Amino acid sequence: MALKDFAAEMDRCSVCSYCKWIPFDQMKSWRFAKNCPSVAYYNFNSYSARGRYAVARSLLNEQSEYSDTVRNIVHTCMTCGACDVSCKVCRYNLEPLEMVRELKFSLVEAEQVLDQHEALIASLNQEHNILHKPKSERGAWADGLDVARLPSEKAEILFHAGCRLSYDEDLQKTAVSAVQLLKSMGVDVGILGEKEMCCGGRVYSMGYRDEFNHFADLNMKVWANAGVKTVVTACADCYHAFKRLYPPLGSQVEVLHMVEFIERLIQQGKLRFRSEVPMTVTYHDPCHLGRQGEPYVPWNGVEKKIKGQIIVYEPNKPRYNGAWGVYDPPRNILRSIPGVKLVEMERIREYSWCCGAGGGVREAYPEFSAWTAAERIAEAKATGAEALVSACPWCERNFMDSISATGAGLQVYDVLALVEKAL
Amino acid sequence: MQEKKAQLIAIVGAAGVVDDPQVDESFLLDHEARLSMEPHFLVRPGNVEEVQEIVQWANQTLTPLVPVSSGGPHLRGDSLPTAPESVLVDLSGMKQILKIDRRNRLALIQPGVTYSQLQPELQKEGLRVVTPLLPRANKSVIASLLEREPVMSPKYQWNLLEPLRSLEIVWGNGDKLYSGSGVFRGEKEEDWQKGMVPLLGSGPGQLDFYKFVSAARGSMGIVTWASVKCEVYSESRKLFFVPAEKLDDLIDFTYQLLKFRFGDELFILNNTGLAYVLGGTAEEIESLKNVLPAWTVIVGITGGQILAREKISAQENDIQDTARQFELKLMSEIRDCHSAELLEILLKPSREPYWKLRYKGGAQEIFFLTTLDRTPGYVDTMFTAASRHQYPAEDIGIYLQPVHQGTGCHCEFILPFRRANGHESGRLQDLFSNAALSLFRQGAYFSRPYGTWADMVYNADAGTLMAMQKVKDIFDPNHVMNPGKLCF
Amino acid sequence: MTLPKHVYQAFEDVVGAVNISDDPAVLDSYRYSLAHTAIHLGPFYNTYTPRGAAVLLPGSAKEVQAIVKLCNKYRIKFKASSTFWSAQGYPSEEDTIQLDMRRMDRILELDEKNMFAVVEPGVIGATLQAEAMKVGLNTHIPGSGCSCSVLASATSYFGSGPSNLYGGCYYDNLLGLEWVMPTGEILRTGSVNSTGSWFCGEGPGPSMKGVARGFLGAKGSMGVFTKCAIKLFAWPGPKTLPVEGVIPAYKVSLPETFRAYTLAFPSWKAWADAAHLIWDTGIGYLAHRQFNMFGRDLKFAMVKILTDPTKTLGDLEEVLADPEVQRITKQSERDFQIILVGMTARDIAWQDAALDEILNRTDGWKVEAMNVPEIHDWVLLYLIRLGHKNLNLVFSGGYDGAFGLLGAMDYGAAHAEEAAQFKKTWEKRGAIVDAGGDCMMGPIGGQGGGGTGLWENFTCFDPHDRESVEGTLEFFDACTKLGLEKGWGVGMEKWNSVARGSDGRTTPKAERDRMHLSAPQPSVFRYQHKIREAFNPNDLGDAYYETLEDE
Ligand code: SF4
Ligand code: SF4
């Protein structure tokens, strides 16, 4: 796809602005009614999906040129996909999320990039991670853990830690617990350790399609060599990359997020919680696990018209609107932990508010990113919860940073941390 | 003088022009007792063309015109000339009911049409018009609606001007305009059949012309017909009293009924107010005052087109439950007064003499808009002012009428006095001005600023004043329409 | 044009650097494509409203006032919009300053007892409704849906919708307003000036609210409204809507006192009789001919798709082929939706019985297929929140309403079939969606609750397809011609042609004058001209405010 392939959508976007709000049917208050962080923060139309359609059309028709403003408009999009969900409450022939991504790709292709992103790409290319850390230290989190190291050793299931869990010292414990839990359940699990590489998902959301393709390729090769059939991850970004972005490039491995795996173990009666965890918590749906976590459905078709002017597709096109994302597994886990009381925020599931770490925004627009996180923290606090639980280290990192900057007084946990406490 | 007279005769004919009209008793009830100017003539136009010609003539001769549609008594001085050499334009002769359209529930009437004339005609067609509390029998329906006089049934008031809809207006510049959808005035019967009817009040276009003539006291133009939205007439009606010793105890109950739009007629009277409504003579009033409950909510239920009895029974039970919830009682009788008797009274215009005048022959009224929850505060203020001016608090009739489906409340203090008694009149005038000022300072909204209230209100609202002057200059550039009444 | 540096700076000083932009790309996201949606002119392919000179995001009435004063000083036209949904909210003159009001989005007051709210321009129907429900109240939401600004619909446009019947249309519900007039002075109407409270919008004396809006508002061409008070009405339901279901098939299960019915009738006469009886009897909370917007032939199939999250538009033909769907489609030809809400159990029982009696008298029926729980609860949510306006565009992204018969029930009912059949012949030509001719939708009710209606014949087309756009334009031209022949007047498909032309710019004056002179009362526009001169002496709006100079 290229930007010009979205020209029809640019005309068919009805400027209804649904993409600025959570689905109206779900609105419970004035305070937590918005869904798109970028337009909520920057306010100009151009920072919403509808505005990005318009900006894209303007660029495509050469009515405007690249500028600092244009770069900001494009790169402040979190690619959180909230717009996409709201748009598709009514529309079946628009793909705003794909379009905003395409707009990023086109800017990157035209070298309309940000220094912060460039630095991160350099790290990726050199160190195979986007955190500017040496690749040799990637597996250090698992030192001392009795776990198979692929590809030299064999295992049925690969646990992919991802950049954040591999290097972030505050969060590494999630990866450790994941592996320990899997092992304790008798799962034949292995890791790639220092051979693990970035999934590429995050640079994809910054517009670096080529780099993403390159790393997807590398990862798929490594998996093939190691004979990996199933990948489990505790990172929503990695999950999304493997589950949704790799299959069109040929990946056929089964992809599971830890929450799915754990839920399965609970359902099978293999995992029982013994310890009480007396805590009121609320759960934050990571964009890439929730609304963007729907399984990939292959499609290769064309647009056609029926009844004169109704736009449909031949064959019928799969619909990604957040209906079938991974929402219930983490909630079911939390509900099965004795003592945990789960209270919901107003914006949940497919219409969740983004943590603020997406799309390269955390790296390039720290203030905006922190504001976005603070908005979510305010929402979490409004539920009366003591802790904000999530299932993605990127979300958790962003929340933790915001809380330490603002002193918001809320704990942040990964679902796995509570699981560990409850064992 | 003679020349002017001849010109007027040329317009309306000799019979239509009255020299030196006696500004009769009824006009002298002006509530601020402002000195009036003797009008030169009274003219009686018979149709819109004549009205237009009179207004054009007034513009040529710069003669002030004072439109009058209702018969007296005029309590509020709006029809009292205050400029020299005025001509009264008496519209009471234009009293045709031009059309009653059952299907669209519209009546098209001329300004001289009174409630007592209209109501029986509507009833024949299965309709009724919601009315103010006991209007004078000779009160012009159009005048009452233009004055934004509150009606007893707030639930039908979708906006403050309801049930007024389209108008034919002759502006102060002599120009004629149909407001709302008045351009569809159903001149042909088939238009009525097709639904090309004057049923909208707003507009047309981007101005709300009828709002400029509302509460304008004839200072913008003359309305020569209006369409009025009607309600379905139903034989099945019931009325109830909900008494209490303290006004505060009735407020939340009334809010609840307003919110659910239960009840048709819905208003509150104090014992004195209710006595004025019920009593036929001063003596009767005197004894009623003493026995009636301090405050009473009056709530009527009307059946509708379909399942009228079921509706009444459901609402009666619901209102009863609501009353209980607020520890109140829904009653059909209080102290020998049966609600059916009151209903009889309310369904008709006031008996003679006019109910506010029955007790002492004269009356002043202070009325304004507020919200229901604020009314107890204003009642206190009024009583304090009365005692300061040695006016007997027990004579103050109080009428609280929720308006616009409950967003606001008309609050009215009726202050009877003996006009013949100069001392009493003088004291009352002092009370009247001081109380009005205190109430105003306390946040009372004098939305219809009669007489001296105009200065008080417009001095505090420069924005509106400026806008009004601009509008006035457009529709009545020579300021011939009822000068001296508002802020121009 | 880019604003001269010092002028830009002057504006920037008012709103701050982050709240002003003249970047061409930003400005282009504030242009409207005349190739689609309800613009009531055109549609015109590849045509846009002019690019603004700058976009400003004011944060307060004071800032708006300062901006307007600067506009007067430098003689720059300005236009404010809150949600930028309708073409009317976009300038029709070059070099206009655009005000995006979204930052002013507070609900300033919610008076539970006296049932009104005071809102700023950025408050939309959905946010106000969500807050009102918490205190047992509800707000009217116009046909344009809950995504639209409450203030904009109430002050500056028509403001009619499904809750006209009970809740009152915005015309009726608008109380006081705060208006930064085109000169920069501020006018507040009604009680607020002398009392500080917004409960009454009229007066003192003659109501100057009449300058601000009439039947239609000034559509952003006469200053900027910065606050308004809106009357609310009872919501005897839960504090938040307990929404369930998988997107997009959201639904809500409400207490027994809430009922959603689709009623259908053997003839238009019976349809209108029922609408009258509903009005006369005083039942109903919301009433709209809603789903017919998908077209007489497609509506039930669309309801099936929308209430099933596994289905997409691509399943339409298959669903249509189902004989059961065809049977129900046939059964609901002349239909409308009504929601009954009982304030109490007795109230709903009585209303329900009365509705049955009305159906009895008019030979009407309830479309039972619309009463199965998953559809019933979806309809309930749909009509209460009105958060699916974008379904107007579901087919291909372009729609506008034709005819727009507005007035007494009998007026629309008398012509609905003819207008529908006329459209049907055009549908066969292929430029517009073939939906069954009758795509008439609109409220059962208007000013003062019931008694009037609006019939808007939805016409859907593909804004990206030149042939579709141009074919639609041809159809609309034909509608206008038919409307004039039949004495219905110019239909809503052309309502805005008087303000804007085929190039997206102001209609030439001679053309405007011709149209105004042929109106039933040209003097209306002459008075509007005088008002414009008095209130907007520097003429800083656009021709959406319709004026005619004296001969
Ligand atoms: S992207 Fe979708 S939701 Fe946003 S304005 Fe366009 S059509 Fe509406
Ligand atoms: S992806 Fe997220 S940030 Fe980007 S436009 Fe959509 S809602 Fe806004």
Side-chain angles (χ1 to χ4, degrees):
Chain A
M1 292 286 267
L3 200 55
K4 65 175 178 359
D5 298 324
F6 288 86
E9 288 193 25
M10 293 164 198
D11 286 347
R12 289 172 187 157
C13 156
S14 50
V15 298
C16 68
S17 285
Y18 276 36
C19 46
K20 296 173 182 171
W21 305 94
I22 64 168
F24 296 109
D25 289 340
Q26 299 287 6
M27 233 175 236
K28 295 167 195 75
S29 75
W30 172 88
R31 176 68 180 86
F32 301 116
K34 292 173 182 170
N35 72 338
C36 169
S38 83
V39 76
Y41 189 76
Y42 293 101
N43 284 304
F44 290 107
N45 251 342
S46 30
Y47 291 84
S48 66
R50 70 169 267 188
R52 292 187 168 103
Y53 269 126
V55 169
R57 178 164 59 193
S58 180
L59 292 169
L60 205 59
N61 295 348
E62 295 176 4
Q63 282 158 344
S64 47
E65 291 167 2
Y66 297 126
S67 64
D68 284 347
T69 306
V70 168
R71 272 186 297 280
N72 287 336
I73 288 169
V74 176
H75 292 299
T76 50
C77 171
M78 308 263 183
T79 63
C80 68
C83 51
D84 202 68
V85 166
S86 291
C87 180
K88 289 172 179 172
V89 168
C90 297
R91 297 296 296 270
Y92 292 84
N93 36 34
L94 289 182
E95 300 290 348
L97 176 58
E98 278 185 34
M99 190 285 300
V100 292
R101 282 199 192 118
E102 196 61 51
L103 185 56
K104 288 192 170 197
F105 298 148
S106 73
L107 254 75
V108 170
E109 269 157 36
E111 293 174 14
Q112 297 298 317
V113 292
L114 305 177
D115 291 346
Q116 298 90 330
H117 291 175
E118 287 292 286
L120 194 142
I121 292 294
S123 161
L124 176 67
N125 287 330
Q126 252 172 45
E127 305 294 343
H128 295 182
N129 71 72
I130 53 171
L131 290 168
H132 310 280
K133 300 279 179 170
K135 59 179 160 195
S136 56
E137 289 172 18
R138 184 153 188 137
W141 65 271
D143 287 353
L145 265 188
D146 175 22
V147 61
R149 303 255 172 171
L150 307 186
S152 50
E153 294 174 275
K154 292 285 166 228
E156 214 172 286
I157 285 176
L158 169 67
F159 177 78
H160 176 95
C163 301
R164 181 55 66 185
L165 286 186
S166 297
Y167 292 108
D168 189 321
E169 285 171 12
D170 295 328
L171 296 167
Q172 284 168 342
K173 57 181 185 275
T174 303
V176 174
S177 338
V179 169
Q180 283 173 337
L181 181 74
L182 291 170
K183 286 203 62 106
S184 72
M185 291 288 117
V187 177
D188 178 16
V189 63
I191 60 169
L192 279 162
E194 62 187 43
K195 301 223 162 51
E196 187 185 284
M197 282 171 287
C198 176
C199 64
R202 291 186 65 80
V203 297
Y204 181 84
S205 72
M206 295 170 203
Y208 291 85
R209 179 161 39 195
D210 292 347
E211 284 72 4
F212 165 75
N213 285 341
H214 177 61
F215 275 83
D217 216 42
L218 290 178
N219 273 305
M220 287 189 289
K221 283 200 180 109
V222 172
W223 294 348
N225 284 342
V228 171
K229 296 272 178 312
T230 302
V231 179
V232 179
T233 177
C235 172
D237 274 12
C238 301
Y239 176 79
H240 171 257
F242 300 155
K243 184 103 179 167
R244 275 285 286 284
L245 304 179
Y246 281 26
L249 303 176
S251 170
Q252 289 182 344
V253 301
E254 184 195 16
V255 181
L256 287 168
H257 191 279
M258 272 305 289
V259 292
E260 294 176 299
F261 207 96
I262 296 171
E263 192 204 30
R264 216 185 265 180
L265 294 170
I266 295 172
Q267 279 166 356
Q268 292 165 348
K270 290 185 186 157
L271 183 62
R272 273 200 201 90
F273 299 119
R274 293 188 181 82
S275 313
E276 180 108 356
V277 185
M279 198 187 277
T280 304
V281 304
T282 190
Y283 176 73
H284 165 79
D285 289 279
C287 306
H288 289 99
L289 181 63
R291 57 178 159 252
Q292 295 193 46
E294 294 176 299
Y296 172 74
V297 183
W299 179 76
N300 188 8
V302 290
E303 179 183 307
K304 70 164 184 182
K305 285 185 177 176
I306 57 170
K307 297 275 163 202
Q309 294 295 340
I310 300 180
I311 292 150
V312 294
Y313 304 91
E314 181 69 59
N316 232 344
K317 193 170 160 182
R319 177 157 161 85
Y320 301 105
N321 64 340
W324 317 112
V326 181
Y327 309 113
D328 289 320
R331 289 181 168 79
N332 290 341
I333 296 168
L334 292 171
R335 285 200 196 95
S336 62
I337 297 177
V340 166
K341 186 174 164 227
L342 174 64
V343 287
E344 294 283 10
M345 287 183 274
E346 287 191 15
R347 294 172 291 191
I348 52 169
R349 302 175 73 93
E350 68 275 14
Y351 53 98
S352 222
W353 175 262
C354 174
C355 69
V361 169
R362 180 180 158 83
E363 293 77 10
Y365 302 93
E367 262 177 51
F368 164 43
S369 173
W371 173 85
T372 306
E375 282 292 293
R376 190 58 163 171
I377 286 156
E379 187 177 358
K381 290 198 75 170
T383 65
E386 305 149 62
L388 176 55
V389 181
S390 195
C392 174
W394 292 96
C395 302
E396 290 154 20
R397 178 78 265 162
N398 226 38
F399 291 144
M400 283 154 62
D401 289 353
S402 165
I403 289 168
S404 63
T406 59
L410 190 74
Q411 303 169 66
V412 176
Y413 290 106
D414 191 275
V415 175
L416 271 163
L418 295 192
V419 166
E420 198 180 25
K421 279 182 197 275
L423 283 173
Chain B
M1 273 280 275
Q2 282 316 309
E3 193 187 330
K4 279 191 171 180
K5 184 175 178 185
Q7 288 163 341
L8 285 171
I9 288 174
I11 298 172
V12 295
V17 182
V18 180
D19 273 312
D20 285 334
Q22 284 308 303
V23 176
D24 64 29
E25 268 297 272
S26 67
F27 280 89
L28 290 177
L29 281 166
D30 175 24
H31 76 181
E32 70 226 55
R34 193 190 274 194
L35 264 191
S36 75
M37 299 278 191
E38 287 292 311
H40 273 183
F41 307 105
L42 178 145
V43 282
R44 296 198 174 104
N47 55 42
V48 63
E49 289 76 23
E50 289 178 8
V51 172
Q52 272 188 287
E53 283 184 57
I54 292 167
V55 177
Q56 280 153 4
W57 167 85
N59 274 279
Q60 282 150 20
T61 56
L62 299 180
T63 309
L65 296 179
V66 181
V68 198
S69 341
S70 309
H74 298 265
L75 263 71
R76 294 165 188 167
D78 46 326
S79 310
L80 191 73
T82 44
E85 299 184 22
S86 300
V87 169
L88 293 173
V89 184
D90 179 2
L91 302 157
S92 60
M94 289 176 70
K95 54 190 299 131
Q96 277 185 61
I97 299 172
L98 300 167
K99 175 77 186 177
I100 294 175
D101 175 0
R102 169 62 188 85
R103 176 86 161 173
N104 292 300
R105 287 171 30 192
L106 277 187
L108 193 62
I109 55 172
Q110 290 189 328
V113 172
T114 61
Y115 283 107
S116 50
Q117 178 192 357
L118 181 61
Q119 217 60 301
E121 293 304 315
L122 287 175
Q123 202 171 315
K124 288 183 202 158
E125 302 285 334
L127 294 175
R128 67 193 168 104
V129 63
V130 290
T131 65
L133 173 64
L134 301 181
R136 282 141 40 208
N138 57 1
K139 178 75 191 179
S140 151
V141 177
I142 289 185
S144 166
L145 293 174
L146 282 174
E147 282 168 39
R148 303 200 296 254
E149 196 66 43
V151 292
M152 288 186 286
S153 307
K155 69 179 275 188
Y156 300 119
Q157 259 197 324
W158 298 83
N159 65 58
L160 209 63
L161 275 75
E162 284 273 84
L164 192 66
R165 295 289 173 88
S166 310
L167 308 180
E168 180 182 71
I169 307 167
V170 174
W171 296 111
N173 59 12
D175 203 9
K176 183 177 76 176
L177 184 126
Y178 301 107
S179 72
S181 53
V183 74
F184 301 116
R185 53 202 177 279
E187 281 172 341
K188 287 180 286 192
E189 186 51 34
E190 60 183 87
D191 287 348
W192 289 98
Q193 299 302 331
K194 277 197 261 168
M196 310 254 294
V197 294
L199 42 64
L200 294 181
S202 59
Q206 295 161 300
L207 291 175
D208 235 347
F209 292 96
Y210 79 150
K211 293 207 166 156
F212 301 147
V213 287
S214 85
R217 306 170 67 195
S219 64
M220 291 286 181
I222 295 174
V223 173
T224 44
W225 61 246
S227 64
V228 178
K229 182 215 172 189
C230 303
E231 299 306 324
V232 174
Y233 176 79
S234 174
E235 286 288 345
S236 331
R237 307 187 73 143
K238 272 190 168 183
L239 195 77
F240 298 96
F241 301 108
V242 181
E245 281 315 303
K246 278 183 21 234
L247 173 57
D248 294 272
D249 295 340
L250 295 175
I251 302 288
D252 286 343
F253 164 74
T254 308
Y255 270 126
Q256 185 69 10
L257 299 197
L258 284 165
K259 182 167 172 182
F260 285 179
R261 294 196 202 151
F262 282 168
D264 185 325
E265 292 80 11
L266 181 63
F267 54 91
I268 302 176
L269 288 168
N270 73 342
N271 57 330
T272 309
L274 187 52
Y276 293 156
V277 169
L278 289 167
T281 62
E283 294 69 40
E284 273 175 38
I285 291 169
E286 197 57 57
S287 63
L288 276 166
K289 266 192 346 186
N290 295 326
V291 296
L292 288 171
W295 295 94
T296 308
V297 173
I298 307 223
V299 53
I301 311 175
T302 310
Q305 179 78 353
I306 282 173
L307 303 186
R309 260 181 316 157
E310 287 82 346
K311 176 187 168 184
I312 289 186
S313 133
Q315 262 193 27
E316 182 178 342
N317 284 318
D318 278 338
I319 296 175
Q320 190 129 42
D321 287 354
T322 313
R324 249 182 244 130
Q325 188 192 327
F326 292 96
E327 292 171 29
L328 297 167
K329 273 208 190 99
L330 188 64
M331 301 163 77
S332 298
E333 201 179 313
I334 33 169
R335 322 286 151 91
D336 290 342
C337 166
H338 199 273
S339 63
E341 190 188 320
L342 177 60
L343 181 61
E344 263 315 291
I345 293 174
L346 295 182
L347 291 182
K348 298 202 187 84
S350 168
R351 288 165 294 175
E352 287 300 320
Y354 183 54
W355 66 285
K356 294 176 187 172
L357 304 179
R358 243 174 255 159
Y359 189 45
K360 288 190 175 172
Q364 273 288 22
E365 11 165 53
I366 299 180
F367 57 90
F368 51 85
L369 286 179
T370 181
T371 52
L372 187 56
D373 51 346
R374 291 187 180 107
T375 54
Y378 295 123
V379 170
D380 287 349
T381 304
M382 187 66 227
F383 282 150
T384 309
S387 93
R388 199 174 301 130
H389 291 268
Q390 284 116 47
Y391 183 88
E394 64 277 11
D395 285 0
I396 303 178
I398 305 176
Y399 167 44
L400 305 176
Q401 178 61 68
V403 297
H404 196 181
Q405 298 182 329
T407 47
C409 184
H410 166 89
C411 178
E412 178 171 324
F413 299 110
I414 301 157
L415 310 167
F417 70 106
R418 274 177 288 268
R419 272 193 299 120
N421 182 332
H423 182 60
E424 197 176 316
S425 296
R427 250 194 357 234
L428 186 85
Q429 279 323 312
D430 289 346
L431 167 62
F432 176 81
S433 336
N434 289 334
L437 195 61
S438 306
L439 292 161
F440 175 73
R441 288 196 180 129
Q442 201 181 333
Y445 178 44
F446 287 79
S447 67
R448 298 180 283 150
Y450 289 90
T452 49
W453 298 345
D455 289 344
M456 175 174 87
V457 169
Y458 291 119
N459 284 343
D461 193 350
T464 298
L465 184 69
M466 181 206 55
M468 271 173 62
Q469 276 159 347
K470 287 183 180 176
V471 170
K472 171 83 171 176
D473 287 343
I474 291 170
F475 293 104
D476 180 21
N478 293 318
H479 292 220
V480 294
M481 297 306 302
N482 209 1
K485 288 292 168 9
L486 284 166
C487 50
F488 23 67
Chain C
M1 176 189 86
T2 42
L3 292 172
K5 241 193 154 82
H6 69 286
V7 178
Y8 187 92
Q9 189 59 49
F11 284 116
E12 185 181 310
D13 290 346
V14 175
V15 291
V18 293
N19 293 314
I20 180 168
S21 178
D22 64 355
D23 186 280
V26 173
L27 297 178
D28 279 358
S29 71
Y30 285 91
R31 297 175 74 184
Y32 194 89
S33 160
L34 296 195
H36 71 87
T37 72
I39 44 178
H40 310 319
L41 73 152
F44 305 111
Y45 190 74
N46 203 16
T47 309
Y48 301 90
T49 55
R51 190 183 265 175
V55 181
L56 279 73
L57 290 153
S60 66
K62 256 197 141 127
E63 287 184 14
V64 173
Q65 187 175 32
I67 294 166
V68 170
K69 289 200 163 152
L70 284 173
C71 287
N72 275 278
K73 180 172 169 191
Y74 297 113
R75 295 285 196 276
I76 302 171
K77 286 191 187 279
F78 62 92
K79 186 140 190 165
S81 181
S82 303
T83 58
F84 292 89
W85 153 247
S86 140
Q88 293 146 194
Y90 295 77
S92 36
E93 305 267 334
E94 305 290 337
D95 306 329
T96 299
I97 291 278
Q98 291 181 274
L99 274 65
D100 180 342
M101 305 301 288
R102 65 172 265 127
R103 283 180 64 225
M104 293 173 65
D105 71 342
R106 290 173 304 168
I107 298 171
L108 298 164
E109 204 182 319
L110 198 56
D111 187 329
E112 181 181 344
K113 285 191 166 165
N114 300 301
M115 297 191 286
F116 66 85
V118 184
V119 297
E120 291 187 324
V123 175
I124 58 167
T127 50
L128 179 58
Q129 187 183 58
E131 292 301 324
M133 281 178 171
K134 291 182 188 165
V135 295
L137 295 172
N138 197 356
T139 178
H140 170 73
I141 293 175
S144 53
C146 69
S147 55
C148 289
S149 153
V150 171
L151 173 140
S153 307
T155 59
S156 305
Y157 197 48
F158 189 39
S160 166
S163 53
N164 289 351
L165 182 65
Y166 180 87
C169 61
Y170 272 145
Y171 174 79
D172 285 333
N173 293 352
L174 177 66
L175 303 171
L177 47 82
E178 178 181 85
W179 178 22
V180 177
M181 296 190 290
T183 50
E185 279 129 321
I186 292 184
L187 176 68
R188 289 186 196 87
T189 73
S191 54
V192 67
N193 295 306
S194 54
T195 73
S197 173
W198 290 86
F199 62 88
C200 177
E202 315 298 336
S207 182
M208 289 304 108
K209 208 166 89 183
V211 183
R213 75 158 288 175
F215 174 66
L216 288 171
K219 305 173 187 172
S221 50
M222 282 280 271
V224 185
F225 296 101
T226 44
K227 279 186 196 82
C228 77
I230 288 289
K231 184 168 83 70
L232 306 170
F233 53 94
W235 167 252
K239 286 185 187 320
T240 49
L241 292 171
V243 175
E244 307 158 356
V246 175
I247 186 173
Y250 292 139
K251 56 192 179 176
V252 69
S253 156
L254 291 174
E256 275 294 288
T257 41
F258 288 76
R259 312 270 160 91
Y261 297 118
T262 293
L263 310 179
F265 301 90
S267 66
W268 282 113
K269 165 83 173 60
W271 189 100
D273 286 350
H276 272 279
L277 281 170
I278 284 166
W279 180 41
D280 282 358
T281 308
I283 61 167
Y285 192 75
L286 297 159
H288 217 226
R289 192 167 190 234
Q290 182 70 54
F291 305 116
N292 199 64
M293 72 183 195
F294 299 122
R296 184 182 277 183
D297 292 352
L298 307 183
K299 61 184 158 189
F300 189 62
M302 283 305 293
V303 169
K304 290 292 274 184
I305 289 170
L306 293 165
T307 52
D308 180 349
T310 66
K311 293 227 165 347
T312 75
L313 201 53
D315 299 310
L316 181 62
E317 285 179 313
E318 194 188 312
V319 177
L320 280 170
D322 178 349
E324 182 58 11
V325 169
Q326 289 169 2
R327 189 182 67 80
I328 293 152
T329 303
K330 184 80 199 139
Q331 195 190 80
S332 42
E333 271 185 3
R334 280 169 293 266
D335 66 343
F336 63 82
Q337 278 68 41
I338 185 164
I339 289 183
L340 303 185
V341 174
M343 297 299 148
T344 63
R346 289 184 196 106
D347 191 26
I348 192 68
W350 168 75
Q351 289 193 49
D352 232 354
L355 181 64
D356 286 340
E357 176 58 23
I358 290 169
L359 292 174
N360 211 5
R361 290 191 194 181
T362 53
D363 295 326
W365 58 87
K366 291 172 182 161
V367 178
E368 290 303 334
M370 295 290 286
N371 242 345
V372 299
E374 64 270 21
I375 295 183
H376 174 273
D377 290 357
W378 174 83
V379 172
L380 210 49
L381 180 57
Y382 191 119
L383 285 171
I384 287 171
R385 179 123 309 168
L386 224 56
H388 298 245
K389 172 195 64 196
N390 206 14
L391 282 176
N392 297 9
L393 297 305
V394 64
F395 291 142
S396 28
Y399 102 98
D400 206 340
F403 299 116
L405 302 164
L406 178 120
M409 282 297 165
D410 292 332
Y411 175 61
H415 307 298
E417 199 56 41
E418 193 177 356
Q421 293 312 319
F422 179 75
K423 177 165 181 261
K424 196 169 180 155
T425 58
W426 276 83
E427 285 177 355
K428 299 296 167 209
R429 302 191 188 186
I432 58 181
V433 171
D434 182 0
D438 170 18
C439 307
M440 297 272 189
M441 68 93 72
I444 317 298
Q447 186 186 346
T452 58
L454 169 63
W455 283 257
E456 177 177 356
N457 205 346
F458 270 31
T459 305
C460 297
F461 56 94
D462 178 3
H464 186 65
D465 176 335
R466 181 186 282 272
E467 278 176 35
S468 179
V469 171
E470 288 174 357
T472 305
L473 177 59
E474 252 182 82
F475 165 63
F476 283 158
D477 287 344
C479 290
T480 308
K481 199 162 153 258
L482 183 77
L484 289 171
E485 273 165 31
K486 296 281 174 187
W488 310 339
V490 173
M492 76 196 310
E493 70 280 348
K494 292 279 177 252
W495 278 357
N496 283 340
S497 302
V498 68
R500 208 192 281 276
S502 59
D503 56 356
R505 272 71 178 160
T506 299
T507 307
K509 183 168 180 304
E511 182 66 3
R512 277 185 280 140
D513 286 355
R514 189 190 59 74
M515 292 191 222
H516 288 138
L517 283 166
S518 66
Q521 284 196 94
S523 58
V524 167
F525 306 107
R526 293 210 171 91
Y527 282 118
Q528 286 178 181
H529 178 74
K530 293 193 167 106
I531 289 283
R532 213 266 292 134
E533 286 195 313
F535 287 84
N536 185 6
N538 290 325
D539 195 11
L540 300 182
D542 59 27
Y544 275 98
Y545 196 72
E546 298 181 39
T547 61
L548 179 65
E549 280 160 55
D550 279 338
E551 296 109 308

